[in-house]
């Protein structure tokens, strides 16, 4: 145990607490009164480490812990250098051992940082860059002089050409001058680029130097005052909220080749730049929202009155709205610190998180410690659980839009985990199908999952005939008859369940009647479909397509749509 000398803190850190003591005062009647007792508080550094983190959306509760062998008396324990993102009002402490917590306090004060060494290094770098810039400028002048000299040679050659000269020698001279001018132009471009790079480098160094010169720092400490009743090994835990930390769920959904087995890898994507690294800490992922109001809002009165003429328009004041929520959005896995066998540690680290919470919030307690550095751009993932689900597989065909048939699975969450909303990557066998957004799925709840296109099954819809004719007495009505044919080819060795979707017009006028007739198969009897989709003119057939039904053996579905109206009724256009 290292005690800090009194002179480090000065008088303002030497606290004297008033501890209430009971003193009996005896007179004619026995009276009791409380008398204060003064105890000197001895300062000591906690030298704590971060042991636990509860991560919320946009913030985290961080716990620092220390163990100190303390003698009888009062102690002020200093937890140094809380991060700048800390919410000081959230600081709390707990004590274990033969001691009692008396008070929790925080302090913030400016500190001066000695940057002289760094400034000296920057000045040297700036001087070196400026020397290079001076050399580059000298090179520029030299190149310009060489260019002027070549131009002089060109003019002299042109003058000498008027007299009788050796043509071969003249051409050789021109070739030499041309090559030299080309080389000089290339050197000029390189010199210009070098000067620009050196200028940018110098400006960056100067800017960094100015920023360092203007740096201001504040130190935030927490002071925990306790009274120790007998010498003991005392454990003190300090917990506080920090901003700039968050987690969100992410999923990898893997379906077997046949689609009958679906595994959901439930992961957490974590990021934090709170200002302090979390090294080998226990992490709990929570859906709670600390620092949000626990009380419901209250409506204000709503009055009505006779409308009055509007007052003169006032100049609007400059108001800035403030967001009520924040969404800030990394993890290296380490071995468990538990004193278990290597095999037990590995099994524990690979196991799923445990779930706690029977209220509106749920917490996932990770079975392994992790390390998360404070880095805004470093987003990391850690596993929460791998969930085996119950899946019911079928195909979906919408032949009026596409011949492709899609694989869909109704997946039941058989785990104890609530699947929170988050992005999911879908894999079918070894193929990446795509990405989707998973909704909130409670335990035992079922959700739909699309696994892409089945290349072995095709659904083709054909309009066989469209006939418009006059009907009724003396041709008083008109009727348009659509005759459809659907061909489904199944190349699988097993029968498949296929949900086929189509549509018919929905009349919004009593003078127009629409009828679905002559169907070769009955519509779906699904209660949800009949209640929500059928009234909107959507058609659904739940079909079983035999195995290897291809070519002439393909499954055939036919139906007709009859649209009748008065001969003078002008109807909106009908789609094919």
């Amino acid at each position: 145990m290292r005690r800090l000398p009194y002179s480090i803190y000065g008088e303002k850190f030497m606290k004297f607490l008033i501890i209430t003591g009971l003193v009996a005062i005896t007179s004619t009647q026995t009276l009791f009164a409380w008398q204060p007792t003064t105890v000197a508080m001895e300062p000591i550094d906690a030298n704590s480490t971060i042991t636990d983190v509860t991560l919320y959306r946009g913030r985290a509760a961080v716990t620092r812990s220390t163990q100190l062998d303390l003698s009888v008396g009062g102690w002020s324990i200093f937890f140094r250098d809380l991060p700048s993102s800390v919410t000081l009002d959230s600081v709390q402490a707990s004590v274990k051992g033969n001691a009692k917590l008396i008070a929790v306090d925080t302090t913030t004060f400016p500190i001066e940082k000695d940057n002289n060494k760094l400034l000296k290094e920057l000045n040297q770098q700036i001087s070196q860059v400026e020397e290079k810039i001076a050399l580059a400028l000298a090179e520029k002048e030299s190149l310009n002089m060489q260019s002027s000299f070549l131009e002089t040679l060109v003019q002299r050659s042109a003058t000498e050409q008027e007299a009788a000269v050796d043509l071969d020698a003249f051409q050789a001279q021109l070739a030499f001058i041309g090559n030299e001018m080309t080389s000089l132009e290339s050197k000029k471009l390189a010199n210009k680029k070098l000067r620009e790079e050196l200028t940018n480098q110098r400006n960056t160094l100067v800017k960094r130097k100015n920023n360092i010169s203007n740096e201001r720092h504040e130190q935030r400490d927490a002071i925990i005052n306790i009274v120790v009743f007998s010498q003991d090994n005392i454990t003190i835990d300090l917990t506080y909220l920090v901003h700039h930390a968050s987690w969100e769920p992410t999923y990898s959904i893997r379906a077997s080749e046949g689609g009958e087995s679906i595994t959901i890898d439930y992961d957490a994507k974590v990021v934090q730049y709170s200002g302090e690294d979390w090294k080998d800490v226990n992490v709990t992922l929570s859906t709670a929202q600390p620092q949000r109001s626990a009380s419901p809002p209250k409506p204000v009165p709503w009055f009505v009155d006779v409308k009055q003429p509007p007052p003169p328009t006032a100049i609007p004041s400059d108001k800035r709205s403030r967001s009520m929520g924040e969404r800030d959005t990394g993890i290296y896995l380490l071995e468990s610190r538990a004193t278990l066998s290597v095999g037990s540690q590995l099994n524990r680290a690979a196991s799923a998180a445990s779930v706690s919470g029977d209220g509106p919030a749920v917490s996932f307690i990770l079975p392994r410690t992790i390390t998360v550095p404070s880095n805004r751009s470093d987003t990391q993932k850690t596993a929460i659980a791998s969930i085996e689900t119950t899946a019911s597989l079928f195909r979906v065909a919408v032949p009026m839009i596409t011949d492709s048939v899609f694989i869909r699975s109704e997946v039941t969450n058989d785990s104890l985990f609530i699947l929170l909303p988050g992005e999911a990557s879908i894999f079918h066998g070894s193929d990446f199908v795509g990405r989707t957004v998973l909704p909130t799925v409670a335990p035992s709840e079922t959700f739909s999952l699309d696994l892409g296109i089945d290349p072995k099954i095709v659904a083709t819809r054909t309009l066989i005939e469209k006939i418009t004719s006059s009907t009724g007495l003396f041709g008083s009505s008109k009727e348009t008859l659509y005759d459809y044919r659907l061909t489904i080819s199944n190349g699988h060795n097993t029968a498949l369940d296929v949900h086929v979707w189509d549509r018919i017009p929905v009349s919004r006028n009593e003078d127009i009647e629409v009828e679905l007739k002559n169907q070769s198969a009955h519509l779906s009897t699904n209660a949800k479909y009949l209640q929500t989709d059928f009234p909107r003119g959507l058609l659904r057939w739940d079909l079983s397509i035999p195995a290897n039904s291809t070519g002439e053996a393909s499954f055939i579905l036919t139906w007709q749509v009859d649209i009748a109206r008065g001969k003078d009724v002008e109807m909106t256009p009908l789609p094919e």
Side-chain angles (χ1 to χ4, degrees):
M1 178 183 69
R2 184 173 67 90
R3 297 189 179 187
L4 299 179
Y6 174 81
S7 59
I8 292 179
Y9 297 98
E11 293 185 359
K12 75 172 185 177
F13 291 115
M14 283 298 291
K15 297 194 173 182
F16 294 88
L17 294 185
I18 306 300
I19 301 179
T20 306
L22 182 63
V23 179
I25 302 176
T26 306
S27 60
T28 307
Q29 297 179 344
T30 302
L31 301 176
F32 292 93
W34 294 99
Q35 296 295 329
T37 300
T38 302
V39 176
M41 309 302 291
E42 183 74 18
I44 184 173
D45 253 349
N47 294 321
S48 61
T49 57
I50 298 176
T51 57
D52 298 87
V53 174
T54 298
L55 196 55
Y56 306 100
R57 305 291 186 93
R59 50 187 58 83
V62 178
T63 298
R64 293 189 186 185
S65 185
T66 186
Q67 287 189 347
L68 300 173
D69 187 10
L70 301 178
S71 58
V72 176
W75 294 89
S76 290
I77 302 159
F78 283 75
F79 287 78
R80 299 290 187 187
D81 297 320
L82 301 184
S84 59
S85 61
V86 67
T87 303
L88 293 178
D89 291 342
S90 69
V91 175
Q92 55 183 309
S94 62
V95 178
K96 297 176 184 176
N98 195 14
K100 184 176 181 180
L101 177 66
I102 301 301
V104 177
D105 197 6
T106 60
T107 180
T108 301
F109 55 92
I111 59 174
E112 294 182 1
K113 185 176 180 180
D114 186 4
N115 291 319
N116 291 331
K117 182 178 179 181
L118 181 57
L119 288 172
K120 183 178 179 181
E121 292 176 355
L122 288 174
N123 286 328
Q124 290 176 349
Q125 294 177 24
I126 292 171
S127 297
Q128 293 171 359
V129 173
E130 288 178 342
E131 289 176 1
K132 293 179 181 179
I133 292 175
L135 291 174
L137 289 172
E139 183 184 20
K140 174 188 174 184
E141 293 300 324
S142 174
L143 292 172
N144 288 336
M145 290 179 63
Q146 294 179 53
S147 295
S148 299
F149 178 71
L150 286 175
E151 290 174 359
T152 302
L153 288 179
V154 171
Q155 293 174 0
R156 181 181 302 174
S157 298
T159 304
E160 291 176 352
Q161 187 179 8
E162 297 176 358
V165 294
D166 186 348
L167 186 60
D168 292 337
F170 179 73
Q171 290 178 344
Q173 188 179 24
L174 287 179
F176 168 77
I177 294 173
N179 291 335
E180 287 298 313
M181 292 188 70
T182 302
S183 176
L184 283 174
E185 289 301 320
S186 177
K187 291 179 180 179
K188 284 182 179 181
L189 290 174
N191 177 266
K192 181 181 179 182
K193 183 177 180 181
L194 175 62
R195 286 185 286 110
E196 290 176 349
E197 291 176 351
L198 290 172
T199 301
N200 290 335
Q201 186 177 351
R202 179 188 60 187
N203 293 340
T204 300
L205 290 170
V206 170
K207 183 177 180 181
R208 185 181 174 193
K209 173 186 173 181
N210 293 336
N211 289 339
I212 290 176
S213 301
N214 297 328
E215 279 184 349
R216 294 178 60 87
H217 296 274
E218 286 186 334
Q219 180 169 323
R220 298 165 181 83
D221 298 338
I223 306 108
I224 311 303
N225 294 304
I226 66 173
V227 172
V228 179
F229 300 108
S230 63
Q231 182 159 349
D232 196 0
N233 194 19
I234 308 299
T235 299
I236 304 99
D237 293 331
L238 181 79
T239 301
Y240 49 88
L241 280 176
V242 295
H243 293 280
H244 309 312
S246 189
W247 78 280
E248 61 182 22
T250 182
Y251 305 90
S252 295
I253 303 177
R254 308 180 189 278
S256 61
E257 288 289 349
E260 67 282 348
S261 173
I262 293 179
T263 302
I264 301 176
D265 292 334
Y266 194 174
D267 300 323
K269 188 162 60 174
V270 177
V271 65
Q272 72 99 355
Y273 48 101
S274 62
E276 56 186 358
D277 294 338
W278 303 340
K279 298 179 180 179
D280 195 17
V281 298
N282 301 307
V283 172
T284 299
L285 307 172
S286 176
T287 63
Q289 295 182 338
Q291 289 194 312
R292 298 292 176 89
S293 176
S295 302
K298 184 178 180 180
V300 297
W302 185 5
F303 302 101
V304 294
D305 200 349
V306 176
K307 185 177 180 181
Q308 301 293 332
T313 303
I315 299 175
S317 60
D318 181 18
K319 295 183 179 180
R320 297 183 179 179
S321 60
R322 260 188 165 175
S323 172
M324 294 298 293
E326 297 177 0
R327 190 179 187 276
D328 298 311
T329 70
I331 289 183
Y332 305 127
L333 273 78
L334 300 175
E335 294 84 358
S336 172
R337 295 177 297 183
T339 56
L340 305 173
S341 67
V342 173
S344 298
Q345 290 186 29
L346 293 176
N347 289 332
R348 181 176 178 182
S351 62
S354 57
V355 185
S356 66
D358 52 4
V362 177
S363 296
F364 303 107
I365 304 171
L366 299 185
R368 59 197 165 275
T369 59
I370 60 177
T371 291
V372 191
S374 179
N375 188 340
R376 180 193 295 265
S377 60
D378 188 6
T379 300
Q380 304 173 44
K381 287 201 304 184
T382 188
I384 295 177
S386 184
I387 302 170
E388 300 292 336
T389 66
T390 302
S392 174
L393 201 67
F394 58 93
R395 269 62 174 177
V396 177
V398 192
M400 61 171 289
I401 298 176
T402 177
D403 293 346
S404 299
V405 177
F406 296 80
I407 307 171
R408 177 169 292 174
S409 182
E410 293 293 328
V411 183
T412 302
N413 178 13
D414 295 324
S415 72
L416 298 176
F417 295 90
I418 294 178
L419 306 183
L420 302 171
E423 291 187 349
S425 298
I426 304 174
F427 300 86
H428 189 187
S430 59
D431 297 328
F432 173 68
V433 175
R435 298 185 64 81
T436 187
V437 176
L438 206 64
T440 300
V441 182
S444 302
E445 189 176 356
T446 299
F447 65 97
S448 296
L449 181 67
D450 293 324
L451 301 176
I453 296 173
D454 188 339
K456 292 187 177 181
I457 182 168
V458 177
T460 305
R461 171 184 182 259
T462 306
L463 176 60
I464 302 300
E465 190 175 34
K466 174 185 176 183
I467 301 175
T468 300
S469 59
S470 298
T471 60
L473 187 63
F474 306 114
S476 58
S477 300
K478 285 195 301 185
E479 180 181 83
T480 301
L481 183 67
Y482 292 83
D483 194 355
Y484 292 104
R485 175 188 176 94
L486 174 64
T487 303
I488 303 178
S489 173
N490 177 17
H492 290 274
N493 295 325
T494 57
L496 297 177
D497 293 329
V498 180
H499 295 181
V500 176
W501 288 87
D502 213 289
R503 66 181 180 181
I504 59 173
V506 177
S507 175
R508 292 184 172 179
N509 191 293
E510 60 182 8
D511 293 332
I512 302 173
E513 295 181 359
V514 180
E515 180 184 4
L516 174 68
K517 60 185 183 181
N518 298 328
Q519 312 154 84
S520 60
H522 294 291
L523 291 174
S524 172
T525 58
N526 179 272
K528 183 178 179 181
Y529 159 72
L530 293 175
Q531 181 179 0
T532 60
D533 294 321
F534 180 71
R536 298 187 294 129
L538 299 181
L539 307 179
R540 170 179 154 182
W541 289 272
D542 296 343
L543 307 174
S544 179
I545 311 302
N548 299 311
S549 54
T550 60
E552 295 182 357
S554 296
F555 183 90
I556 304 297
L557 173 67
T558 59
W559 71 96
Q560 291 180 324
V561 179
D562 189 9
I563 304 174
R565 67 275 188 195
K567 67 176 183 178
D568 297 326
V569 174
E570 289 292 333
M571 191 170 56
T572 55
L574 292 171
E576 297 297 326

